[in-house]
């Protein structure tokens, strides 16, 4: 082969290389972009996974702290309720002592029982009247009146007896 043919062949080869090179560069750039994108996605997923694990650890720590706080609050509440119950029992005992020192033998509960007994006697009176037992009906009516009078005297005594601020409404 002649030297000018070599030169022509080299020129043609050079032109083919210049034509093919942009395609090869574009292909290489596209492959590099895809690999970089995939690597970036993988790194991002790894970062998110680590953040999620850290958030789960923090959440678990907060849950244990919340359980400790709830347990402490429950213990404090139980202690306070026990203390309140003890104080209420002490108050009731002291009020009973005060009532025993006043010389009053009857209480509000006794008054309520007397009123209930009077109502029962009136019911018996009405029943006996309906059964045409006038003598027993009159006796039941008289007993109901006597019990009512006794309840009124107890009520008056309860109202005049000084009571503590906690039982003022209960006393009368």
């Amino acid at each position: 082969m002649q030297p000018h043919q070599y030169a022509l062949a080299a020129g043609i080869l050079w032109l083919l290389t210049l034509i093919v090179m942009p395609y090869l560069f574009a292909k290489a750039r596209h492959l590099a972009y895809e690999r970089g994108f995939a690597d970036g996605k993988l790194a991002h997923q790894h970062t998110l996974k680590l953040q999620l694990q850290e958030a789960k650890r923090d959440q678990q720590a907060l849950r244990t702290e919340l359980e400790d706080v709830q347990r402490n609050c429950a213990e404090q509440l139980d202690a306070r309720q026990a203390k309140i119950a003890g104080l209420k029992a002490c108050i009731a005992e002291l009020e009973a002592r005060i009532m025993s020192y006043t010389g009053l033998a009857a209480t509000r509960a006794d008054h309520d029982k007397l009123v209930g007994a009077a109502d029962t006697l009136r019911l018996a009176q009405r029943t006996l009247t309906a059964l045409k037992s006038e003598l027993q009906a009159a006796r039941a009516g008289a007993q109901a009146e006597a019990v009512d009078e006794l309840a009124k005297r107890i009520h008056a005594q309860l109202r005049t007896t000084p009571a503590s601020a906690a039982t003022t409404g209960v006393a009368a």
Side-chain angles (χ1 to χ4, degrees):
M1 232 183 169
Q2 299 293 328
H4 67 282
Q5 289 174 337
Y6 283 121
L8 263 174
I12 291 173
L13 199 71
W14 178 253
L15 285 175
L16 286 175
T17 303
L18 288 177
I19 291 172
V20 173
M21 278 307 239
Y23 172 73
L24 292 177
F25 283 145
K27 186 70 170 172
R29 190 178 64 217
H30 181 68
L31 287 175
Y33 175 79
E34 285 181 0
R35 286 183 190 151
F37 187 76
D39 289 345
K41 240 185 180 178
L42 187 63
H44 184 66
Q45 286 176 350
H46 183 67
T47 304
L48 288 177
K49 188 176 183 181
L50 290 176
Q51 287 176 351
L52 181 63
Q53 288 174 350
E54 184 179 337
K56 284 182 180 179
R57 279 193 304 269
D58 291 345
Q59 183 182 23
Q60 186 62 32
L62 288 174
R63 280 189 181 149
T64 57
E65 184 179 346
L66 177 65
E67 289 171 359
D68 290 342
V69 168
Q70 285 177 337
R71 193 175 319 109
N72 290 340
C73 287
E75 290 171 359
Q76 289 175 355
L77 180 64
D78 291 341
R80 285 183 182 141
Q81 287 176 343
K83 192 172 185 178
I84 288 171
L87 290 174
K88 284 183 179 180
C90 183
I91 289 171
E93 177 189 351
L94 291 173
E95 285 179 349
R97 283 186 192 175
I98 289 171
M99 292 303 285
S100 69
Y101 293 140
T102 60
L104 182 63
T107 63
R108 171 72 181 188
D110 296 333
H111 174 262
D112 292 340
K113 287 178 186 175
L114 284 175
V115 170
D119 288 341
T120 304
L121 284 171
R122 281 195 193 83
L123 176 65
Q125 178 187 12
R126 288 192 302 269
T127 304
L128 291 171
T129 302
L131 293 175
K132 304 213 186 298
S133 288
E134 293 300 323
L135 182 62
Q136 286 85 4
R139 242 177 91 203
Q143 287 176 354
E145 289 300 321
V147 169
D148 267 342
E149 288 298 320
L150 180 60
K152 285 179 185 176
R153 285 194 305 258
I154 289 176
H155 187 275
Q157 184 67 28
L158 285 173
R159 287 183 79 60
T160 60
T161 303
S164 68
T167 58
T168 302
V170 177

